[in-house]
Amino acid sequence: MKILFVAGGSAATVFALAPLANAARGAGHEVLMASVADIVPVTAGVGLPAVSMTSTPLRDFIYRDRDGAPVTPPTDPDEQPDFTGRWFGRMAAATLDALTALAHDWRPDLVVGGTMMYAAGLLAHRLGVPYVRHAWDAVEATRIDPGGESELAPELTSSGLSGLPVPDLFIDVCPPSLRPPDAAPAHPMACRPANTQRALEPWMYTRGERTRVCVTAGSRVANDDGTAYLREAYVFLRDLALDVTALDAEVVIAAPESVAADLRAELPGVRAGWVPLDVVLRTCDLLVGHAGGVTTLNAMNAGVPQLLLPQWGILGPPTRRLAEHGAALTLQPAEAGRERVAESCRELLTRPSYAERADALAQEISEMPPPAELVGVLEKL
């Protein structure tokens, strides 16, 4: 069987799909993974055959409309889901023809698309093959899909569709205890970490004598890039790490190597650079971060409590559910002064209940069906 996986414009979207894609390859199926050109090296780095579906960088879909006119992201959290759906819709529209050309040369029997990769469903509809929607994380797309549907109105109409294609199968990696009551029916699958690897140093896989705190703002961080949001992510990460250094703890900053030297210069004594979270998190006592969906799942899988500062409205509901579960605390960016961050970290590190609830969540994930089991479900489609 030939299976086309459609990732997105960030490393996280590749990491989320890689476990199932690699399991399918291990079972003898042919697999390709498509993404924006910037992310093709990430796909190759996790051992998957990689194809570019567009040379347009992710930021252009976010900050420009179809005609190239600038678009300003909303500051109102209630408007952000629709905005997110629209720029994912623009990505789908821009990549559909390239994906169709790929399918002409390498016809898939099945198309698997990440949560908001709407082009996957449209391509499967064009080809008349099954479509699988694969959740990237615990972020539900209920409020995001309407924006994607509106943006893709011309493509849907030309395909004879009145709405976004309905998947033949929805795979959800969210632990059952964190799924909202009205969540769509889904086949559960355990999230299995997949990260770009590097030569490990002993400190990465061993615990030291001090408490270890990992700080991250994800993979899309830059200090010398003309793109405002990448620079803002760097400032957020630097300030957050500075807040955490108020603790008597070893601080590990998980960040691209392109900014690691700047971080080490500004924050002497920290470890900074690209580290495989699937390895390092198992040696950590706490994760402090931006509430990115895949990063958050990595910490859940490792049984690590979290302090989350969601930078985007769509991240609010899943982080609140995690906090209500007792495995995390959340702070809004406006609340995140140094004293408040340090105080929250101390609470998470000293009250045993947070670690206990995080361990229970990791156990729940371990009991979910593994990716290898889902390969058989794909075969039946």
Side-chain angles (χ1 to χ4, degrees):
M1 186 165 66
K2 291 183 175 181
I3 309 174
L4 175 63
F5 286 78
V6 185
S10 71
T13 67
V14 172
F15 297 155
L17 299 182
L20 181 58
N22 276 314
R25 289 193 83 198
H29 299 293
E30 295 182 54
V31 168
L32 293 183
M33 182 176 286
S35 69
V36 303
D38 289 353
I39 308 302
V40 164
V42 177
T43 304
V46 296
L48 290 167
V51 179
S52 171
M53 58 186 179
T54 177
S55 60
T56 303
L58 176 67
R59 61 176 177 267
D60 283 13
F61 296 118
I62 300 173
Y63 291 100
R64 296 187 181 278
D65 64 17
R66 294 202 193 195
D67 297 323
V71 177
T72 302
T75 56
D76 184 345
D78 290 335
E79 298 176 5
Q80 290 170 354
D82 183 77
F83 176 84
T84 301
R86 285 187 173 278
W87 71 255
F88 270 109
R90 290 193 286 273
M91 182 188 294
T95 59
L96 186 56
D97 285 347
L99 289 171
T100 302
L102 167 64
H104 180 269
D105 296 329
W106 189 87
R107 184 178 175 85
D109 302 297
L110 181 71
V111 179
V112 181
T115 308
M116 278 86 77
M117 289 312 299
Y118 303 122
L122 288 168
L123 176 66
H125 178 77
R126 281 187 176 183
L127 301 176
V129 301
Y131 160 48
V132 177
R133 191 177 195 182
H134 185 320
W136 284 324
D137 46 36
V139 178
E140 62 274 19
T142 308
R143 297 175 60 208
I144 300 171
D145 288 346
E149 190 169 280
S150 296
E151 182 68 36
L152 287 166
E155 286 76 18
L156 294 172
T157 299
S158 65
S159 297
L161 294 167
S162 59
L164 294 173
V166 177
D168 296 281
L169 174 69
F170 175 41
I171 298 174
D172 197 0
V173 294
C174 181
S177 62
L178 297 184
R179 294 193 87 215
D182 59 348
H187 197 301
M189 187 185 83
C191 64
R192 291 288 182 259
N195 296 281
T196 301
Q197 299 296 319
R198 54 166 290 184
L200 296 177
E201 300 174 29
W203 70 265
M204 296 178 183
Y205 52 83
T206 57
R207 284 183 176 270
E209 296 180 358
R210 300 170 67 198
T211 298
R212 179 176 287 178
V213 180
C214 180
V215 181
T216 185
S219 61
R220 303 194 69 81
V221 178
N223 195 21
D224 57 356
D225 191 279
T227 306
Y229 84 101
L230 294 180
R231 169 63 184 172
E232 290 167 2
Y234 175 85
V235 172
F236 168 79
L237 177 62
R238 180 200 62 200
D239 292 350
L240 193 58
L242 188 61
D243 295 342
V244 174
T245 56
L247 304 169
D248 180 20
E250 178 189 3
V251 179
V252 178
I253 306 176
E257 291 296 333
S258 58
V259 302
D262 292 338
L263 289 166
R264 289 191 292 266
E266 292 193 59
L267 302 166
V270 306
R271 297 184 186 274
W274 186 270
V275 295
L277 285 179
D278 55 332
V279 175
V280 173
L281 279 177
R282 294 190 179 278
T283 73
C284 293
D285 302 284
L286 176 65
L287 172 72
V288 180
H290 62 309
V294 174
T295 300
T296 302
L297 273 178
N298 261 281
M300 291 185 209
N301 189 73
V304 177
Q306 304 180 59
L307 174 60
L308 301 173
L309 295 85
Q311 300 295 291
W312 199 245
I314 61 173
L315 301 175
T319 57
R320 284 194 294 272
R321 291 197 298 271
L322 185 59
E324 291 166 359
H325 191 76
L329 290 175
T330 64
L331 290 176
Q332 295 304 311
E335 304 174 314
R338 182 169 304 175
E339 292 185 6
R340 188 70 183 278
V341 169
E343 175 188 336
S344 299
C345 288
R346 290 190 187 96
E347 180 179 351
L348 286 158
L349 290 167
T350 57
R351 286 185 55 182
S353 64
Y354 291 107
E356 291 168 0
R357 296 300 289 161
D359 281 339
L361 199 55
Q363 180 62 33
E364 181 181 332
I365 292 172
S366 73
E367 295 170 357
M368 296 171 68
E373 184 175 315
L374 269 291
V375 174
V377 179
L378 298 185
E379 291 169 348
K380 290 178 182 178
L381 287 179

